[in-house]
Amino acid sequence: MVSVTATAAEDVRRALSIAERVPDPELPMLTLADLGVLRGVEVTGDGTVVASLTPTYSGCPAMAEMRAGVATRLRAAGYARVEIRTVLDPPWTSDWITPEGRRKLTEHGIAPPAAAPRGPVTLSLLPTRRTVPCPRCGSADTEETSRFAATSCKALWRCRACREPFEYVKEI
Amino acid sequence: MSDSAHDDDHVYLSLAEGHDDGSDARWAFGTGFEDPLHGVDTTVPEGVDPVELAATCVELADDALVSAQRLAEWCTRAPELEEEVALANIGLDLLGQARLLYARAGQVDGTGRGEDAYAYFRDADDFRNVTLAELPIGDFAFSVARLLVLSSWRLAHFERLAAHQDPVLAAIAAKGAKELTYHRQYAAEWAVRLGDGTEESRRRMRTAFDQVTPNLDELFTAYDVRSEVVEVLRQVTEAAGLTLPPVPPAPGAGRDGRHTGHLVPLLAELQSVARAHPEATW
Ligand SMILES: [Zn+2]
């Protein structure tokens, strides 16, 4: 339970550390903090914990799960009043995936995203020579097999060196 | 702090746990369809006409919902599994955009309606989508040409809407533009591959462009983005070794609620479950 002697700052830190550890439903090796979806946690004057989340994709079906995950864990930790706020602006970018998150993705055989483009992208039909290093063997000899995969945020690639297929978190 | 998810931090922990207030009760992943604008500041800024804003949101949402429904029809029918997954993903992005836009419309038009009221309980005459979106899927080349046109058109408009006075609509557009960039790229690459492919694929791609061009003027009547869209189509047809057919004048119909005969059966399928069980929760 929340100690009545806890200072406001300690309370925020504690609530934050709980919210930060909530795993992502589709990339469960990542926490919502690793993914950059958790934008902040505050505690209001009446003790309500307000957690702010930014959706990764407009149609991401995991969003309801993320909201519920954060609310459930905060309530279980003794916070009676929990509020989840959706923050749409600025939009989520894969650049928000933390270095720790990128390390975990690689460790699980998923290639982390390259830097996201800034501003409007013009259509390019020239053959692109992009390198996404294989998360298993590190080889740069890889190719995209499908720009869309099992979840909105990933593409399918394969490695020509070790012959393994792998997923790549798209830069957006 | 923690290196990985703990055992007790199971991702679906919240599914298993009931709450007294029942607000988080969901029976499976993806259920419990709640307001996609949950906790977003709903204020309409000074100087923004709420009726106009709601109408704008509904038009854009209708385009996205009807397009998503057509894209979903490719499930189990696409030429390759990868394409089926791609088209379904693109549809999912559009469905997400539609949900956000309907939710915004319901907040500002004074009716307090939720997304379902717009998607499931309006008839074809009330839909404002452009007619190109509602045409049957045709062959893969036609769906590619339509996706190329609609994504380029919506993207050009969203890039402007990102500066809209309403911060919610602006944010939805800024987010959507990033997704549409991927959709356009996908469609453009396929148009080039088919146009520059075999004799048969080339014939089909050329036919597909002939089929979509009569609908372009309706799009440009809705949003003044002709030059951006035509530029993309030129670039793609050139790379594919095709020529862009002339765009005949045919000003809009769908934005005025005048649709082809194809929308009614599309909506009948889309709305059948919700209308059979109007009190159901998902
Ligand atoms: Zn490899």
Side-chain angles (χ1 to χ4, degrees):
Chain A
M1 296 302 291
V2 184
S3 159
V4 285
T5 57
T7 66
E10 274 169 20
D11 214 19
V12 172
R13 254 198 310 278
R14 182 168 170 273
L16 180 65
S17 77
I18 292 160
E20 272 177 347
R21 287 204 300 268
V22 176
D24 175 71
E26 288 180 347
L27 293 167
M29 73 293 289
L30 299 190
T31 65
L32 296 188
D34 292 332
L35 192 57
V37 157
L38 181 73
R39 303 312 296 159
V41 171
E42 49 185 310
V43 180
T44 63
D46 68 353
T48 304
V49 181
V50 182
S52 300
L53 304 179
T54 296
T56 51
Y57 280 75
S58 301
C60 180
M63 204 51 211
E65 227 53 54
M66 295 182 190
R67 288 187 194 117
V70 173
T72 303
R73 282 167 181 79
L74 285 169
R75 287 205 194 94
Y79 294 95
R81 279 188 296 270
V82 178
E83 208 182 294
I84 309 295
R85 213 166 269 173
T86 305
V87 180
L88 297 178
D89 179 43
W92 183 83
T93 158
S94 49
D95 290 349
W96 289 352
I97 300 176
T98 62
E100 174 70 356
R102 285 160 197 269
R103 187 187 64 72
K104 289 182 198 167
L105 283 172
T106 310
E107 204 177 277
H108 286 80
I110 300 173
R118 313 252 157 180
V121 178
T122 50
L123 179 68
S124 168
L125 295 169
L126 302 169
T128 43
R129 198 61 216 121
R130 304 183 49 226
T131 353
V132 172
C134 171
R136 293 184 191 276
C137 74
S139 168
D141 189 15
T142 60
E143 62 180 345
E144 184 185 80
T145 49
S146 175
R147 189 143 320 136
F148 297 87
T151 63
S152 307
C153 58
K154 287 178 291 189
L156 276 181
W157 283 63
R158 78 174 146 228
C159 174
R160 278 186 283 233
C162 73
R163 304 250 163 217
E164 286 289 333
F166 64 90
E167 289 183 305
Y168 166 64
V169 176
K170 282 186 276 197
E171 69 278 10
I172 193 165
Chain B
M1 292 281 294
S2 82
D3 289 316
S4 59
H6 296 299
D7 290 343
D8 63 341
D9 272 348
H10 188 274
V11 276
Y12 299 124
L13 179 69
S14 61
L15 276 182
E17 290 199 356
H19 298 287
D20 298 340
D21 58 330
S23 61
D24 296 325
R26 289 167 347 286
W27 56 274
F29 177 72
T31 59
F33 275 70
E34 51 173 309
D35 177 10
L37 289 175
H38 182 95
V40 170
D41 182 359
T42 61
T43 323
V44 178
E46 199 86 29
V48 172
D49 176 7
V51 176
E52 215 171 281
L53 174 60
T56 300
C57 290
V58 168
E59 289 168 358
L60 289 164
D62 287 350
D63 289 335
L65 179 68
V66 171
S67 296
Q69 183 73 3
R70 286 296 185 215
L71 288 165
E73 287 180 37
W74 279 105
C75 286
T76 73
R77 294 180 208 182
E80 287 174 344
L81 181 61
E82 284 77 8
E83 308 324 315
E84 179 175 317
V85 169
L87 295 170
N89 263 291
I90 292 169
L92 183 63
D93 286 342
L94 292 171
L95 186 62
Q97 293 174 15
R99 293 187 61 200
L100 291 160
L101 289 160
Y102 285 138
R104 184 56 177 154
Q107 288 173 350
V108 300
D109 74 0
T111 62
R113 281 180 286 180
E115 48 179 331
D116 285 5
Y118 293 94
Y120 296 135
F121 297 99
R122 284 182 308 142
D123 295 329
D125 310 351
D126 301 321
F127 272 74
R128 290 292 177 268
N129 60 281
V130 291
T131 53
L132 179 58
E134 74 205 28
L135 298 181
I137 58 172
D139 64 3
F140 186 66
F142 175 78
S143 279
V144 161
R146 167 166 58 190
L147 181 61
L148 177 66
V149 166
L150 288 179
S151 59
S152 306
W153 170 70
R154 192 171 173 88
L155 173 57
H157 187 55
F158 268 26
E159 280 172 353
R160 296 179 191 186
L161 275 184
H164 196 276
Q165 268 184 288
D166 178 51
V168 180
L169 177 56
I172 295 168
K175 176 83 210 162
K178 292 170 160 222
E179 295 161 353
L180 291 160
T181 303
Y182 271 102
H183 306 172
R184 183 187 63 179
Q185 187 71 32
Y186 171 83
E189 285 174 13
W190 262 112
V192 173
R193 202 172 294 139
L194 293 174
D196 194 22
T198 66
E199 205 175 300
E200 174 64 5
S201 72
R202 180 180 180 75
R203 183 188 68 75
R204 288 193 185 216
M205 202 60 236
R206 192 171 40 224
T207 307
F209 276 116
D210 288 343
Q211 286 167 334
V212 295
T213 32
N215 288 281
L216 287 175
D217 210 35
E218 180 183 344
L219 306 186
F220 303 146
T221 309
Y223 306 130
D224 182 20
V225 292
R226 181 186 293 265
S227 59
E228 287 102 314
V229 175
V230 169
E231 170 56 30
V232 166
L233 295 179
R234 283 240 157 80
Q235 190 186 348
V236 171
T237 45
E238 250 166 54
L242 301 170
T243 42
L244 183 63
V247 177
R255 284 288 190 260
D256 307 322
R258 287 181 293 124
H259 293 281
T260 66
H262 301 296
L263 184 60
V264 169
L266 178 147
L267 291 177
E269 187 175 19
L270 174 87
Q271 298 174 332
S272 60
V273 176
R275 290 195 177 197
H277 307 279
E279 302 300 319
T281 52
W282 312 100

